[in-house]
Amino acid sequence: MRYYLYGHTPVKLEPTTSGGLKVLVFNQKTRSFDLDCSLYPAILFGRGEDIRQIDEAEFKSLTA
């Protein structure tokens, strides 16, 4: 699993059983994760807003 900040939004890339990746974006209002694979190129290639890889501990503190 890989963790990122997309702007100020926590995002995680989660492997699928078929070998792909799911892009799960933290929803501040519902405190849950929404699937949004449209962000995959931006995160993978660093396009758009500031994208920063973070560790699991920081990710958990931002989504707790």
Side-chain angles (χ1 to χ4, degrees):
M1 196 131 12
R2 289 182 266 166
Y3 306 97
Y4 296 87
L5 276 180
Y6 183 75
H8 297 287
T9 304
V11 176
K12 66 180 172 179
L13 299 184
E14 186 174 283
T16 64
T17 55
S18 63
L21 287 172
K22 291 191 283 187
V23 179
L24 298 168
V25 179
F26 186 66
N27 183 321
Q28 295 286 346
K29 291 179 184 175
T30 64
R31 308 295 298 171
S32 62
F33 291 91
D34 298 325
L35 183 65
D36 186 352
C37 292
S38 69
L39 294 180
Y40 184 74
I43 290 172
L44 194 63
F45 301 113
R47 294 186 212 149
E49 293 186 42
D50 288 336
I51 297 162
R52 180 172 64 93
Q53 190 165 7
I54 58 176
D55 63 19
E56 185 176 9
E58 183 176 359
F59 182 83
K60 285 183 176 182
S61 74
L62 293 168
T63 58

